[in-house]
Amino acid sequence: MSSASESLQPLSVSLSPQERFEEYLQTRGLRQTSQRKFLIDAVFSEHDHFDADELIDRLPRRGQENYVSSATVYRTLREFVDAGLLKSFQLDGRTVYELDYGYPAHDHLYCTRCRKLIEFQSEPLVQIRDEVAAEMGFRVSGHRMIVQGVCKDCGKARRKKRKQDLV
């Protein structure tokens, strides 16, 4: 899955993702393992959206150094979400993950043709959300919006195709 996130810059945070996760593990009486450390580095080395299978495809294979089993990947991704390092959401029947820790709140445009996710921030959107919540006596703890449609590139490709069909 590709993502466009040029506009989102990481926020300044007091702890690295590794340190934040170690704190999480300590509060639960769990220990840090080399596999968990490797997975944090792999996940936080790129700012993109991914599902577990896409992450597994990027990792070393069985028999190679730093191999991590699929079961460990799935379990550790859930721990990363619980620790506040990642957010997960459903998209086309798959669980998609994105970086949460150290990144600003944002929403998404999703192209249903090429599956590109485009991140954006909108202060007017947040203002409308807060106004509606206030009118309803609702205290906002967060929101997720995914606008589905066709991206500019796919829209251009379709228009070109149609013009050719008319000739």
Side-chain angles (χ1 to χ4, degrees):
M1 173 171 302
S2 62
S3 66
S5 56
E6 300 84 22
S7 61
L8 293 183
Q9 296 300 314
L11 302 172
S12 177
V13 289
S14 59
L15 299 175
S16 71
Q18 279 287 7
E19 293 166 331
R20 171 83 183 250
F21 190 58
E22 285 176 22
E23 266 188 4
Y24 165 84
L25 293 172
Q26 287 173 359
T27 63
R28 283 155 183 76
L30 301 171
R31 62 184 179 85
Q32 179 64 287
T33 64
S34 60
Q35 291 178 320
R36 285 177 172 141
K37 284 181 185 179
F38 181 77
L39 286 173
I40 286 180
D41 290 341
V43 166
F44 276 83
S45 68
E46 298 178 32
H47 180 90
D48 62 355
H49 301 87
F50 62 92
D51 65 25
D53 291 333
E54 290 168 333
L55 176 60
I56 290 166
D57 287 345
R58 294 189 333 223
L59 298 175
R61 302 280 175 239
R62 184 184 305 272
Q64 295 178 321
E65 187 178 351
N66 293 320
Y67 167 74
V68 181
S69 73
S70 296
T72 298
V73 169
Y74 281 96
R75 183 176 56 255
T76 305
L77 286 173
R78 284 192 302 274
E79 291 173 340
F80 290 171
V81 171
D82 290 345
L85 296 176
L86 297 179
K87 281 187 181 175
S88 66
F89 54 95
Q90 295 297 308
L91 193 60
D92 288 341
R94 304 172 10 238
T95 301
V96 176
Y97 298 91
E98 69 175 342
L99 303 182
D100 184 23
Y101 182 68
Y103 284 87
H106 60 277
D107 294 293
H108 299 90
L109 301 173
Y110 176 65
C111 180
T112 55
R113 291 214 182 110
C114 68
R115 299 172 60 181
K116 183 188 325 181
L117 266 175
I118 302 166
E119 296 178 330
F120 71 94
Q121 291 178 289
S122 171
E123 191 56 40
L125 178 65
V126 172
Q127 289 173 347
I128 292 169
R129 177 201 70 188
D130 291 345
E131 289 169 11
V132 170
E135 287 172 16
M136 307 295 269
F138 191 81
R139 194 176 95 221
V140 175
S141 60
H143 79 269
R144 170 166 316 281
M145 183 168 81
I146 302 172
V147 179
Q148 297 183 0
V150 178
C151 73
K152 181 172 47 176
D153 293 339
C154 290
K156 284 180 185 175
R158 184 158 177 89
R159 281 191 295 277
K160 284 181 185 175
K161 193 176 194 180
R162 284 185 180 163
K163 285 179 184 176
Q164 290 171 350
D165 291 344
L166 296 174
V167 174

mmCIF file of all heavy atoms in Angstrom, residues 17-52:
data_model
loop_
_atom_site.group_PDB
_atom_site.id
_atom_site.type_symbol
_atom_site.label_atom_id
_atom_site.label_comp_id
_atom_site.label_asym_id
_atom_site.label_seq_id
_atom_site.Cartn_x
_atom_site.Cartn_y
_atom_site.Cartn_z
ATOM 1 N N PRO A 17 10.712 5.823 20.128
ATOM 2 C CA PRO A 17 9.742 4.716 20.107
ATOM 3 C C PRO A 17 10.235 3.514 20.918
ATOM 4 O O PRO A 17 9.450 2.872 21.622
ATOM 5 C CB PRO A 17 9.610 4.381 18.621
ATOM 6 C CG PRO A 17 9.921 5.671 17.930
ATOM 7 C CD PRO A 17 10.997 6.316 18.777
ATOM 8 N N GLN A 18 11.539 3.206 20.834
ATOM 9 C CA GLN A 18 12.110 2.087 21.618
ATOM 10 C C GLN A 18 11.892 2.327 23.111
ATOM 11 O O GLN A 18 11.451 1.432 23.829
ATOM 12 C CB GLN A 18 13.616 1.962 21.364
ATOM 13 C CG GLN A 18 14.020 1.242 20.131
ATOM 14 C CD GLN A 18 13.836 -0.264 20.171
ATOM 15 O OE1 GLN A 18 13.266 -0.853 21.088
ATOM 16 N NE2 GLN A 18 14.296 -0.897 19.132
ATOM 17 N N GLU A 19 12.224 3.538 23.577
ATOM 18 C CA GLU A 19 12.084 3.849 25.012
ATOM 19 C C GLU A 19 10.625 3.825 25.439
ATOM 20 O O GLU A 19 10.296 3.324 26.520
ATOM 21 C CB GLU A 19 12.696 5.223 25.306
ATOM 22 C CG GLU A 19 14.201 5.273 25.124
ATOM 23 C CD GLU A 19 14.756 6.695 25.078
ATOM 24 O OE1 GLU A 19 14.028 7.630 24.654
ATOM 25 O OE2 GLU A 19 15.935 6.860 25.451
ATOM 26 N N ARG A 20 9.763 4.360 24.608
ATOM 27 C CA ARG A 20 8.330 4.356 24.928
ATOM 28 C C ARG A 20 7.820 2.918 25.048
ATOM 29 O O ARG A 20 7.052 2.585 25.951
ATOM 30 C CB ARG A 20 7.579 5.118 23.832
ATOM 31 C CG ARG A 20 6.073 5.028 23.879
ATOM 32 C CD ARG A 20 5.475 6.035 24.847
ATOM 33 N NE ARG A 20 4.044 5.887 24.914
ATOM 34 C CZ ARG A 20 3.181 6.765 24.428
ATOM 35 N NH1 ARG A 20 3.600 7.867 23.870
ATOM 36 N NH2 ARG A 20 1.892 6.544 24.527
ATOM 37 N N PHE A 21 8.242 2.048 24.141
ATOM 38 C CA PHE A 21 7.802 0.653 24.177
ATOM 39 C C PHE A 21 8.384 -0.071 25.387
ATOM 40 O O PHE A 21 7.696 -0.883 26.007
ATOM 41 C CB PHE A 21 8.163 -0.056 22.877
ATOM 42 C CG PHE A 21 7.536 -1.416 22.748
ATOM 43 C CD1 PHE A 21 6.157 -1.569 22.806
ATOM 44 C CD2 PHE A 21 8.315 -2.538 22.574
ATOM 45 C CE1 PHE A 21 5.561 -2.816 22.692
ATOM 46 C CE2 PHE A 21 7.734 -3.792 22.455
ATOM 47 C CZ PHE A 21 6.352 -3.930 22.513
ATOM 48 N N GLU A 22 9.620 0.216 25.730
ATOM 49 C CA GLU A 22 10.215 -0.405 26.923
ATOM 50 C C GLU A 22 9.434 -0.029 28.175
ATOM 51 O O GLU A 22 9.204 -0.866 29.046
ATOM 52 C CB GLU A 22 11.689 -0.019 27.047
ATOM 53 C CG GLU A 22 12.561 -0.765 26.043
ATOM 54 C CD GLU A 22 14.021 -0.336 26.059
ATOM 55 O OE1 GLU A 22 14.481 0.214 27.083
ATOM 56 O OE2 GLU A 22 14.686 -0.559 25.033
ATOM 57 N N GLU A 23 8.996 1.233 28.274
ATOM 58 C CA GLU A 23 8.151 1.653 29.394
ATOM 59 C C GLU A 23 6.862 0.849 29.430
ATOM 60 O O GLU A 23 6.428 0.387 30.476
ATOM 61 C CB GLU A 23 7.789 3.141 29.263
ATOM 62 C CG GLU A 23 8.680 4.078 29.986
ATOM 63 C CD GLU A 23 8.138 5.501 29.977
ATOM 64 O OE1 GLU A 23 7.014 5.767 29.458
ATOM 65 O OE2 GLU A 23 8.853 6.376 30.486
ATOM 66 N N TYR A 24 6.243 0.703 28.267
ATOM 67 C CA TYR A 24 5.003 -0.075 28.156
ATOM 68 C C TYR A 24 5.215 -1.512 28.645
ATOM 69 O O TYR A 24 4.429 -2.039 29.428
ATOM 70 C CB TYR A 24 4.527 -0.068 26.695
ATOM 71 C CG TYR A 24 3.489 -1.110 26.369
ATOM 72 C CD1 TYR A 24 2.139 -0.879 26.619
ATOM 73 C CD2 TYR A 24 3.855 -2.332 25.800
ATOM 74 C CE1 TYR A 24 1.183 -1.842 26.318
ATOM 75 C CE2 TYR A 24 2.906 -3.297 25.498
ATOM 76 C CZ TYR A 24 1.576 -3.045 25.765
ATOM 77 O OH TYR A 24 0.629 -3.999 25.479
ATOM 78 N N LEU A 25 6.307 -2.143 28.182
ATOM 79 C CA LEU A 25 6.588 -3.529 28.581
ATOM 80 C C LEU A 25 6.803 -3.636 30.087
ATOM 81 O O LEU A 25 6.301 -4.567 30.726
ATOM 82 C CB LEU A 25 7.802 -4.064 27.821
ATOM 83 C CG LEU A 25 7.626 -4.252 26.317
ATOM 84 C CD1 LEU A 25 8.968 -4.591 25.667
ATOM 85 C CD2 LEU A 25 6.587 -5.318 26.009
ATOM 86 N N GLN A 26 7.543 -2.697 30.653
ATOM 87 C CA GLN A 26 7.823 -2.726 32.090
ATOM 88 C C GLN A 26 6.543 -2.630 32.901
ATOM 89 O O GLN A 26 6.390 -3.326 33.904
ATOM 90 C CB GLN A 26 8.776 -1.596 32.479
ATOM 91 C CG GLN A 26 10.202 -1.827 32.035
ATOM 92 C CD GLN A 26 11.099 -0.625 32.274
ATOM 93 O OE1 GLN A 26 10.653 0.417 32.767
ATOM 94 N NE2 GLN A 26 12.366 -0.758 31.903
ATOM 95 N N THR A 27 5.597 -1.783 32.483
ATOM 96 C CA THR A 27 4.345 -1.634 33.231
ATOM 97 C C THR A 27 3.502 -2.902 33.180
ATOM 98 O O THR A 27 2.617 -3.082 34.007
ATOM 99 C CB THR A 27 3.495 -0.453 32.716
ATOM 100 O OG1 THR A 27 3.105 -0.709 31.374
ATOM 101 C CG2 THR A 27 4.250 0.854 32.831
ATOM 102 N N ARG A 28 3.786 -3.774 32.245
ATOM 103 C CA ARG A 28 3.040 -5.030 32.118
ATOM 104 C C ARG A 28 3.850 -6.248 32.537
ATOM 105 O O ARG A 28 3.427 -7.378 32.341
ATOM 106 C CB ARG A 28 2.541 -5.190 30.680
ATOM 107 C CG ARG A 28 1.323 -4.299 30.449
ATOM 108 C CD ARG A 28 1.137 -3.918 29.024
ATOM 109 N NE ARG A 28 0.010 -3.025 28.871
ATOM 110 C CZ ARG A 28 0.006 -1.729 29.187
ATOM 111 N NH1 ARG A 28 1.083 -1.184 29.694
ATOM 112 N NH2 ARG A 28 -1.057 -0.978 29.008
ATOM 113 N N GLY A 29 5.037 -6.013 33.048
ATOM 114 C CA GLY A 29 5.874 -7.124 33.502
ATOM 115 C C GLY A 29 6.423 -7.970 32.368
ATOM 116 O O GLY A 29 6.729 -9.153 32.562
ATOM 117 N N LEU A 30 6.532 -7.383 31.193
ATOM 118 C CA LEU A 30 7.061 -8.106 30.037
ATOM 119 C C LEU A 30 8.488 -7.655 29.777
ATOM 120 O O LEU A 30 8.887 -6.570 30.178
ATOM 121 C CB LEU A 30 6.187 -7.827 28.804
ATOM 122 C CG LEU A 30 4.717 -8.214 28.922
ATOM 123 C CD1 LEU A 30 3.931 -7.685 27.730
ATOM 124 C CD2 LEU A 30 4.575 -9.726 29.034
ATOM 125 N N ARG A 31 9.241 -8.487 29.078
ATOM 126 C CA ARG A 31 10.634 -8.119 28.803
ATOM 127 C C ARG A 31 10.805 -7.743 27.337
ATOM 128 O O ARG A 31 10.083 -8.230 26.465
ATOM 129 C CB ARG A 31 11.590 -9.238 29.198
ATOM 130 C CG ARG A 31 11.388 -10.518 28.431
ATOM 131 C CD ARG A 31 12.306 -11.639 28.938
ATOM 132 N NE ARG A 31 12.048 -12.857 28.185
ATOM 133 C CZ ARG A 31 12.599 -13.140 27.018
ATOM 134 N NH1 ARG A 31 13.458 -12.323 26.474
ATOM 135 N NH2 ARG A 31 12.301 -14.258 26.393
ATOM 136 N N GLN A 32 11.775 -6.886 27.106
ATOM 137 C CA GLN A 32 12.128 -6.499 25.740
ATOM 138 C C GLN A 32 12.925 -7.653 25.117
ATOM 139 O O GLN A 32 13.762 -8.242 25.785
ATOM 140 C CB GLN A 32 12.959 -5.213 25.768
ATOM 141 C CG GLN A 32 13.406 -4.705 24.423
ATOM 142 C CD GLN A 32 12.272 -4.298 23.506
ATOM 143 O OE1 GLN A 32 11.578 -5.150 22.981
ATOM 144 N NE2 GLN A 32 12.099 -3.010 23.317
ATOM 145 N N THR A 33 12.616 -8.000 23.892
ATOM 146 C CA THR A 33 13.349 -9.057 23.197
ATOM 147 C C THR A 33 14.020 -8.468 21.964
ATOM 148 O O THR A 33 13.656 -7.383 21.497
ATOM 149 C CB THR A 33 12.390 -10.186 22.739
ATOM 150 O OG1 THR A 33 11.473 -9.640 21.774
ATOM 151 C CG2 THR A 33 11.626 -10.781 23.912
ATOM 152 N N SER A 34 14.968 -9.183 21.433
ATOM 153 C CA SER A 34 15.658 -8.710 20.224
ATOM 154 C C SER A 34 14.672 -8.626 19.061
ATOM 155 O O SER A 34 14.777 -7.739 18.205
ATOM 156 C CB SER A 34 16.832 -9.619 19.875
ATOM 157 O OG SER A 34 16.384 -10.938 19.646
ATOM 158 N N GLN A 35 13.685 -9.525 19.024
ATOM 159 C CA GLN A 35 12.693 -9.485 17.948
ATOM 160 C C GLN A 35 11.828 -8.232 18.036
ATOM 161 O O GLN A 35 11.552 -7.584 17.031
ATOM 162 C CB GLN A 35 11.824 -10.741 17.978
ATOM 163 C CG GLN A 35 12.599 -11.987 17.598
ATOM 164 C CD GLN A 35 11.746 -13.232 17.684
ATOM 165 O OE1 GLN A 35 10.942 -13.383 18.599
ATOM 166 N NE2 GLN A 35 11.927 -14.126 16.730
ATOM 167 N N ARG A 36 11.386 -7.890 19.252
ATOM 168 C CA ARG A 36 10.589 -6.674 19.426
ATOM 169 C C ARG A 36 11.403 -5.441 19.044
ATOM 170 O O ARG A 36 10.899 -4.534 18.387
ATOM 171 C CB ARG A 36 10.106 -6.552 20.869
ATOM 172 C CG ARG A 36 8.977 -7.496 21.225
ATOM 173 C CD ARG A 36 8.629 -7.345 22.681
ATOM 174 N NE ARG A 36 7.434 -8.079 23.039
ATOM 175 C CZ ARG A 36 7.283 -8.744 24.173
ATOM 176 N NH1 ARG A 36 8.262 -8.776 25.072
ATOM 177 N NH2 ARG A 36 6.164 -9.367 24.432
ATOM 178 N N LYS A 37 12.669 -5.398 19.465
ATOM 179 C CA LYS A 37 13.533 -4.255 19.119
ATOM 180 C C LYS A 37 13.675 -4.149 17.605
ATOM 181 O O LYS A 37 13.585 -3.055 17.038
ATOM 182 C CB LYS A 37 14.925 -4.417 19.752
ATOM 183 C CG LYS A 37 14.968 -4.128 21.224
ATOM 184 C CD LYS A 37 16.395 -4.293 21.741
ATOM 185 C CE LYS A 37 16.443 -4.121 23.238
ATOM 186 N NZ LYS A 37 17.796 -4.303 23.770
ATOM 187 N N PHE A 38 13.908 -5.268 16.952
ATOM 188 C CA PHE A 38 14.064 -5.275 15.496
ATOM 189 C C PHE A 38 12.792 -4.782 14.808
ATOM 190 O O PHE A 38 12.844 -3.995 13.860
ATOM 191 C CB PHE A 38 14.438 -6.676 15.007
ATOM 192 C CG PHE A 38 14.631 -6.748 13.526
ATOM 193 C CD1 PHE A 38 15.785 -6.265 12.939
ATOM 194 C CD2 PHE A 38 13.645 -7.290 12.712
ATOM 195 C CE1 PHE A 38 15.964 -6.306 11.558
ATOM 196 C CE2 PHE A 38 13.804 -7.339 11.333
ATOM 197 C CZ PHE A 38 14.970 -6.848 10.755
ATOM 198 N N LEU A 39 11.626 -5.223 15.308
ATOM 199 C CA LEU A 39 10.353 -4.820 14.706
ATOM 200 C C LEU A 39 10.088 -3.324 14.882
ATOM 201 O O LEU A 39 9.598 -2.666 13.954
ATOM 202 C CB LEU A 39 9.194 -5.643 15.261
ATOM 203 C CG LEU A 39 9.134 -7.084 14.752
ATOM 204 C CD1 LEU A 39 8.053 -7.866 15.480
ATOM 205 C CD2 LEU A 39 8.903 -7.115 13.248
ATOM 206 N N ILE A 40 10.419 -2.770 16.041
ATOM 207 C CA ILE A 40 10.232 -1.323 16.222
ATOM 208 C C ILE A 40 11.088 -0.570 15.208
ATOM 209 O O ILE A 40 10.618 0.364 14.556
ATOM 210 C CB ILE A 40 10.592 -0.868 17.650
ATOM 211 C CG1 ILE A 40 9.505 -1.296 18.620
ATOM 212 C CG2 ILE A 40 10.749 0.654 17.716
ATOM 213 C CD1 ILE A 40 9.775 -0.901 20.049
ATOM 214 N N ASP A 41 12.341 -0.994 15.074
ATOM 215 C CA ASP A 41 13.223 -0.323 14.112
ATOM 216 C C ASP A 41 12.681 -0.454 12.690
ATOM 217 O O ASP A 41 12.701 0.508 11.920
ATOM 218 C CB ASP A 41 14.641 -0.895 14.192
ATOM 219 C CG ASP A 41 15.347 -0.508 15.488
ATOM 220 O OD1 ASP A 41 14.916 0.466 16.150
ATOM 221 O OD2 ASP A 41 16.333 -1.186 15.846
ATOM 222 N N ALA A 42 12.190 -1.630 12.336
ATOM 223 C CA ALA A 42 11.661 -1.852 10.987
ATOM 224 C C ALA A 42 10.427 -0.995 10.733
ATOM 225 O O ALA A 42 10.287 -0.381 9.668
ATOM 226 C CB ALA A 42 11.331 -3.332 10.787
ATOM 227 N N VAL A 43 9.531 -0.919 11.700
ATOM 228 C CA VAL A 43 8.289 -0.160 11.538
ATOM 229 C C VAL A 43 8.561 1.344 11.500
ATOM 230 O O VAL A 43 8.008 2.062 10.667
ATOM 231 C CB VAL A 43 7.293 -0.517 12.670
ATOM 232 C CG1 VAL A 43 6.147 0.476 12.735
ATOM 233 C CG2 VAL A 43 6.755 -1.933 12.475
ATOM 234 N N PHE A 44 9.427 1.833 12.383
ATOM 235 C CA PHE A 44 9.663 3.277 12.478
ATOM 236 C C PHE A 44 10.729 3.776 11.511
ATOM 237 O O PHE A 44 11.014 4.964 11.464
ATOM 238 C CB PHE A 44 9.994 3.678 13.916
ATOM 239 C CG PHE A 44 8.755 3.903 14.748
ATOM 240 C CD1 PHE A 44 8.101 2.838 15.341
ATOM 241 C CD2 PHE A 44 8.215 5.168 14.896
ATOM 242 C CE1 PHE A 44 6.947 3.025 16.080
ATOM 243 C CE2 PHE A 44 7.064 5.373 15.628
ATOM 244 C CZ PHE A 44 6.432 4.298 16.219
ATOM 245 N N SER A 45 11.305 2.898 10.712
ATOM 246 C CA SER A 45 12.312 3.337 9.737
ATOM 247 C C SER A 45 11.664 4.034 8.540
ATOM 248 O O SER A 45 12.335 4.747 7.803
ATOM 249 C CB SER A 45 13.149 2.150 9.249
ATOM 250 O OG SER A 45 12.356 1.270 8.482
ATOM 251 N N GLU A 46 10.365 3.813 8.335
ATOM 252 C CA GLU A 46 9.645 4.429 7.222
ATOM 253 C C GLU A 46 8.311 4.950 7.731
ATOM 254 O O GLU A 46 7.706 4.353 8.606
ATOM 255 C CB GLU A 46 9.349 3.396 6.124
ATOM 256 C CG GLU A 46 10.555 2.777 5.497
ATOM 257 C CD GLU A 46 10.172 1.732 4.454
ATOM 258 O OE1 GLU A 46 9.120 1.896 3.817
ATOM 259 O OE2 GLU A 46 10.916 0.774 4.311
ATOM 260 N N HIS A 47 7.867 6.047 7.154
ATOM 261 C CA HIS A 47 6.530 6.546 7.486
ATOM 262 C C HIS A 47 5.600 6.093 6.370
ATOM 263 O O HIS A 47 5.527 6.710 5.311
ATOM 264 C CB HIS A 47 6.513 8.075 7.604
ATOM 265 C CG HIS A 47 5.151 8.591 7.938
ATOM 266 N ND1 HIS A 47 4.726 8.759 9.230
ATOM 267 C CD2 HIS A 47 4.105 8.929 7.157
ATOM 268 C CE1 HIS A 47 3.483 9.197 9.227
ATOM 269 N NE2 HIS A 47 3.077 9.307 7.973
ATOM 270 N N ASP A 48 4.938 4.974 6.601
ATOM 271 C CA ASP A 48 3.978 4.500 5.608
ATOM 272 C C ASP A 48 2.860 3.739 6.293
ATOM 273 O O ASP A 48 2.908 3.477 7.488
ATOM 274 C CB ASP A 48 4.651 3.650 4.528
ATOM 275 C CG ASP A 48 5.290 2.379 5.069
ATOM 276 O OD1 ASP A 48 5.306 2.177 6.302
ATOM 277 O OD2 ASP A 48 5.774 1.565 4.266
ATOM 278 N N HIS A 49 1.854 3.411 5.534
ATOM 279 C CA HIS A 49 0.748 2.591 6.000
ATOM 280 C C HIS A 49 1.031 1.169 5.521
ATOM 281 O O HIS A 49 1.509 0.990 4.407
ATOM 282 C CB HIS A 49 -0.569 3.086 5.409
ATOM 283 C CG HIS A 49 -0.867 4.505 5.775
ATOM 284 N ND1 HIS A 49 -0.397 5.568 5.039
ATOM 285 C CD2 HIS A 49 -1.559 5.034 6.802
ATOM 286 C CE1 HIS A 49 -0.807 6.694 5.604
ATOM 287 N NE2 HIS A 49 -1.514 6.394 6.669
ATOM 288 N N PHE A 50 0.711 0.196 6.338
ATOM 289 C CA PHE A 50 1.023 -1.185 5.970
ATOM 290 C C PHE A 50 0.093 -2.132 6.706
ATOM 291 O O PHE A 50 -0.490 -1.772 7.731
ATOM 292 C CB PHE A 50 2.489 -1.503 6.314
ATOM 293 C CG PHE A 50 2.795 -1.393 7.791
ATOM 294 C CD1 PHE A 50 2.700 -2.485 8.629
ATOM 295 C CD2 PHE A 50 3.164 -0.170 8.338
ATOM 296 C CE1 PHE A 50 2.964 -2.373 9.988
ATOM 297 C CE2 PHE A 50 3.435 -0.047 9.696
ATOM 298 C CZ PHE A 50 3.333 -1.146 10.522
ATOM 299 N N ASP A 51 -0.047 -3.327 6.160
ATOM 300 C CA ASP A 51 -0.716 -4.377 6.907
ATOM 301 C C ASP A 51 0.350 -5.370 7.346
ATOM 302 O O ASP A 51 1.523 -5.251 6.970
ATOM 303 C CB ASP A 51 -1.857 -5.017 6.107
ATOM 304 C CG ASP A 51 -1.416 -5.757 4.857
ATOM 305 O OD1 ASP A 51 -0.255 -6.208 4.787
ATOM 306 O OD2 ASP A 51 -2.243 -5.895 3.943
ATOM 307 N N ALA A 52 -0.032 -6.327 8.160
ATOM 308 C CA ALA A 52 0.945 -7.267 8.721
ATOM 309 C C ALA A 52 1.678 -8.029 7.619
ATOM 310 O O ALA A 52 2.897 -8.224 7.696
ATOM 311 C CB ALA A 52 0.260 -8.231 9.681
#
